[in-house]
Amino acid sequence: MESENQTDEAEFLLLGLSEDPELQPLLFGLFLTMYLVTVLGNLLIILAVSSDPHLHTPMYFFLSHLSFTDICFSTTTVLKMLVNIERRSKSISYTGCLTQVCFVLFFAGLENFLLAAMAYDRYVAICHPLRYTVVMNPRLCVLLVLLSLVMSIADALLHSLMLLRLSFCADLEIPHFFCELAQVIKLACSDTLLNNVLVYSVTSILGGVPLFGIIFSYAQIVSSVLRMPSAAGKYKAFSTCGSHFSVVSLFYGTAFGVYISSAVTHSSKKSAVASVMYTVAPPMLNPFIYSLRNRDMKRALRKLT
């Protein structure tokens, strides 16, 4: 009998958020606007940090890398959706889908690690202010970014290479607007036990460790601030980490929201809509959070204009 395995010539279908033809122009305009706002907003952050000597500090060093990661993350997920809507096609090749999975994992992981590095920066700045310049030296900042890159690359390559061992047959429909790892694994017609074990174990470690670091850093920050005698000192300390805390809350809040939504509802469409909040909203809103709540950033942006 002819083998059903069609992996070599497989073509996945990205069903997107809606199959209604009348909604496609609206979705195209909405996501194009969100994508352009994301790119322009984060580019302004990068330009402001690089052009203003007052912003050449560890916090803004990490912020510029976070902004670049947000641009790449949004480009990886949204751009293919826009192209498919414009071409009135839902297809993505086997190679293209695995490549997208790899880049989504890489940039999501990198953002996760960068947020943890920024939390550590705020912890040292508030809890050990006299040692800040010694601890957060340029060498450590570069090492933290390189470590984030290496860990993210390892995570993305591990899962992507493990996908190569799977066979895919028919009905390759992904109820999302991008190739998500969990959805791709579900479509395999070969044994996926090892893949699922890796997803849960690696995600628990590489996602849990940075999250624990962030929680520990903020627990120490709150404890240190509450011991300050003056209200003005407390306000100043909290204001220095307010933007980062907002970004962390947005990133992890939307991520947990997607996880809970997927666990509670069995509707793939609702899960796809919920994933928009995780993949599109944080990269778009991060520049507004940092520019609206930060006087130094406002000054630097005014200089650009």
Side-chain angles (χ1 to χ4, degrees), residues 39-54:
V39 173
L40 291 175
N42 284 287
L43 274 178
L44 282 175
I45 294 291
I46 294 171
L47 290 173
V49 171
S50 60
S51 62
D52 192 336
H54 294 95

PDB file of all heavy atoms in Angstrom, residues 39-54:
ATOM      1  N   VAL A  39       6.555  48.224  15.117  1.00  0.00           N
ATOM      2  CA  VAL A  39       7.878  48.464  14.519  1.00  0.00           C
ATOM      3  C   VAL A  39       8.335  49.898  14.761  1.00  0.00           C
ATOM      4  O   VAL A  39       9.476  50.133  15.212  1.00  0.00           O
ATOM      5  CB  VAL A  39       7.853  48.145  13.007  1.00  0.00           C
ATOM      6  CG1 VAL A  39       9.164  48.558  12.360  1.00  0.00           C
ATOM      7  CG2 VAL A  39       7.598  46.661  12.774  1.00  0.00           C
ATOM      8  N   LEU A  40       7.475  50.866  14.485  1.00  0.00           N
ATOM      9  CA  LEU A  40       7.859  52.273  14.636  1.00  0.00           C
ATOM     10  C   LEU A  40       8.116  52.623  16.102  1.00  0.00           C
ATOM     11  O   LEU A  40       9.097  53.318  16.422  1.00  0.00           O
ATOM     12  CB  LEU A  40       6.765  53.173  14.062  1.00  0.00           C
ATOM     13  CG  LEU A  40       6.595  53.120  12.535  1.00  0.00           C
ATOM     14  CD1 LEU A  40       5.400  53.964  12.106  1.00  0.00           C
ATOM     15  CD2 LEU A  40       7.856  53.596  11.827  1.00  0.00           C
ATOM     16  N   GLY A  41       7.253  52.136  16.998  1.00  0.00           N
ATOM     17  CA  GLY A  41       7.422  52.434  18.420  1.00  0.00           C
ATOM     18  C   GLY A  41       8.717  51.872  18.976  1.00  0.00           C
ATOM     19  O   GLY A  41       9.466  52.579  19.679  1.00  0.00           O
ATOM     20  N   ASN A  42       9.020  50.640  18.647  1.00  0.00           N
ATOM     21  CA  ASN A  42      10.248  50.026  19.158  1.00  0.00           C
ATOM     22  C   ASN A  42      11.495  50.579  18.480  1.00  0.00           C
ATOM     23  O   ASN A  42      12.555  50.672  19.106  1.00  0.00           O
ATOM     24  CB  ASN A  42      10.180  48.510  18.992  1.00  0.00           C
ATOM     25  CG  ASN A  42       9.280  47.846  20.022  1.00  0.00           C
ATOM     26  OD1 ASN A  42       9.626  47.744  21.190  1.00  0.00           O
ATOM     27  ND2 ASN A  42       8.107  47.401  19.588  1.00  0.00           N
ATOM     28  N   LEU A  43      11.378  50.960  17.209  1.00  0.00           N
ATOM     29  CA  LEU A  43      12.517  51.619  16.539  1.00  0.00           C
ATOM     30  C   LEU A  43      12.839  52.955  17.189  1.00  0.00           C
ATOM     31  O   LEU A  43      14.022  53.308  17.340  1.00  0.00           O
ATOM     32  CB  LEU A  43      12.208  51.821  15.054  1.00  0.00           C
ATOM     33  CG  LEU A  43      12.516  50.658  14.112  1.00  0.00           C
ATOM     34  CD1 LEU A  43      12.105  51.018  12.685  1.00  0.00           C
ATOM     35  CD2 LEU A  43      13.998  50.294  14.157  1.00  0.00           C
ATOM     36  N   LEU A  44      11.806  53.690  17.588  1.00  0.00           N
ATOM     37  CA  LEU A  44      12.027  54.965  18.274  1.00  0.00           C
ATOM     38  C   LEU A  44      12.746  54.748  19.602  1.00  0.00           C
ATOM     39  O   LEU A  44      13.624  55.543  19.975  1.00  0.00           O
ATOM     40  CB  LEU A  44      10.689  55.679  18.501  1.00  0.00           C
ATOM     41  CG  LEU A  44      10.082  56.389  17.292  1.00  0.00           C
ATOM     42  CD1 LEU A  44       8.702  56.932  17.631  1.00  0.00           C
ATOM     43  CD2 LEU A  44      10.994  57.527  16.813  1.00  0.00           C
ATOM     44  N   ILE A  45      12.375  53.684  20.318  1.00  0.00           N
ATOM     45  CA  ILE A  45      13.054  53.374  21.580  1.00  0.00           C
ATOM     46  C   ILE A  45      14.526  53.092  21.327  1.00  0.00           C
ATOM     47  O   ILE A  45      15.418  53.603  22.036  1.00  0.00           O
ATOM     48  CB  ILE A  45      12.393  52.159  22.260  1.00  0.00           C
ATOM     49  CG1 ILE A  45      10.953  52.473  22.701  1.00  0.00           C
ATOM     50  CG2 ILE A  45      13.224  51.698  23.451  1.00  0.00           C
ATOM     51  CD1 ILE A  45      10.839  53.451  23.825  1.00  0.00           C
ATOM     52  N   ILE A  46      14.829  52.292  20.308  1.00  0.00           N
ATOM     53  CA  ILE A  46      16.216  51.944  19.985  1.00  0.00           C
ATOM     54  C   ILE A  46      17.010  53.174  19.587  1.00  0.00           C
ATOM     55  O   ILE A  46      18.146  53.385  20.039  1.00  0.00           O
ATOM     56  CB  ILE A  46      16.257  50.892  18.856  1.00  0.00           C
ATOM     57  CG1 ILE A  46      15.644  49.575  19.337  1.00  0.00           C
ATOM     58  CG2 ILE A  46      17.693  50.652  18.386  1.00  0.00           C
ATOM     59  CD1 ILE A  46      15.440  48.547  18.242  1.00  0.00           C
ATOM     60  N   LEU A  47      16.419  54.035  18.756  1.00  0.00           N
ATOM     61  CA  LEU A  47      17.095  55.262  18.317  1.00  0.00           C
ATOM     62  C   LEU A  47      17.314  56.221  19.476  1.00  0.00           C
ATOM     63  O   LEU A  47      18.378  56.853  19.578  1.00  0.00           O
ATOM     64  CB  LEU A  47      16.277  55.948  17.212  1.00  0.00           C
ATOM     65  CG  LEU A  47      16.238  55.235  15.854  1.00  0.00           C
ATOM     66  CD1 LEU A  47      15.257  55.933  14.919  1.00  0.00           C
ATOM     67  CD2 LEU A  47      17.633  55.204  15.231  1.00  0.00           C
ATOM     68  N   ALA A  48      16.324  56.337  20.356  1.00  0.00           N
ATOM     69  CA  ALA A  48      16.454  57.238  21.507  1.00  0.00           C
ATOM     70  C   ALA A  48      17.569  56.770  22.431  1.00  0.00           C
ATOM     71  O   ALA A  48      18.385  57.585  22.901  1.00  0.00           O
ATOM     72  CB  ALA A  48      15.127  57.301  22.256  1.00  0.00           C
ATOM     73  N   VAL A  49      17.634  55.466  22.697  1.00  0.00           N
ATOM     74  CA  VAL A  49      18.668  54.932  23.593  1.00  0.00           C
ATOM     75  C   VAL A  49      20.055  55.094  22.977  1.00  0.00           C
ATOM     76  O   VAL A  49      21.024  55.462  23.668  1.00  0.00           O
ATOM     77  CB  VAL A  49      18.387  53.445  23.900  1.00  0.00           C
ATOM     78  CG1 VAL A  49      19.558  52.818  24.655  1.00  0.00           C
ATOM     79  CG2 VAL A  49      17.103  53.297  24.715  1.00  0.00           C
ATOM     80  N   SER A  50      20.172  54.843  21.684  1.00  0.00           N
ATOM     81  CA  SER A  50      21.493  54.913  21.042  1.00  0.00           C
ATOM     82  C   SER A  50      21.982  56.345  20.851  1.00  0.00           C
ATOM     83  O   SER A  50      23.194  56.588  20.842  1.00  0.00           O
ATOM     84  CB  SER A  50      21.446  54.206  19.683  1.00  0.00           C
ATOM     85  OG  SER A  50      20.491  54.821  18.836  1.00  0.00           O
ATOM     86  N   SER A  51      21.060  57.309  20.729  1.00  0.00           N
ATOM     87  CA  SER A  51      21.466  58.686  20.429  1.00  0.00           C
ATOM     88  C   SER A  51      21.655  59.550  21.671  1.00  0.00           C
ATOM     89  O   SER A  51      22.335  60.574  21.604  1.00  0.00           O
ATOM     90  CB  SER A  51      20.424  59.349  19.519  1.00  0.00           C
ATOM     91  OG  SER A  51      19.164  59.428  20.165  1.00  0.00           O
ATOM     92  N   ASP A  52      21.082  59.162  22.803  1.00  0.00           N
ATOM     93  CA  ASP A  52      21.167  59.978  24.024  1.00  0.00           C
ATOM     94  C   ASP A  52      22.179  59.368  24.992  1.00  0.00           C
ATOM     95  O   ASP A  52      21.972  58.272  25.514  1.00  0.00           O
ATOM     96  CB  ASP A  52      19.792  60.063  24.692  1.00  0.00           C
ATOM     97  CG  ASP A  52      19.755  61.119  25.785  1.00  0.00           C
ATOM     98  OD1 ASP A  52      20.820  61.465  26.333  1.00  0.00           O
ATOM     99  OD2 ASP A  52      18.655  61.599  26.110  1.00  0.00           O
ATOM    100  N   PRO A  53      23.298  60.064  25.266  1.00  0.00           N
ATOM    101  CA  PRO A  53      24.317  59.536  26.191  1.00  0.00           C
ATOM    102  C   PRO A  53      23.780  59.287  27.591  1.00  0.00           C
ATOM    103  O   PRO A  53      24.294  58.418  28.308  1.00  0.00           O
ATOM    104  CB  PRO A  53      25.388  60.634  26.205  1.00  0.00           C
ATOM    105  CG  PRO A  53      25.179  61.390  24.931  1.00  0.00           C
ATOM    106  CD  PRO A  53      23.709  61.347  24.675  1.00  0.00           C
ATOM    107  N   HIS A  54      22.729  60.033  28.000  1.00  0.00           N
ATOM    108  CA  HIS A  54      22.163  59.846  29.334  1.00  0.00           C
ATOM    109  C   HIS A  54      21.478  58.482  29.483  1.00  0.00           C
ATOM    110  O   HIS A  54      21.237  58.032  30.604  1.00  0.00           O
ATOM    111  CB  HIS A  54      21.150  60.954  29.638  1.00  0.00           C
ATOM    112  CG  HIS A  54      21.762  62.315  29.752  1.00  0.00           C
ATOM    113  ND1 HIS A  54      21.811  63.200  28.690  1.00  0.00           N
ATOM    114  CD2 HIS A  54      22.381  62.943  30.788  1.00  0.00           C
ATOM    115  CE1 HIS A  54      22.414  64.314  29.061  1.00  0.00           C
ATOM    116  NE2 HIS A  54      22.774  64.188  30.330  1.00  0.00           N
TER     117      HIS A  54
END
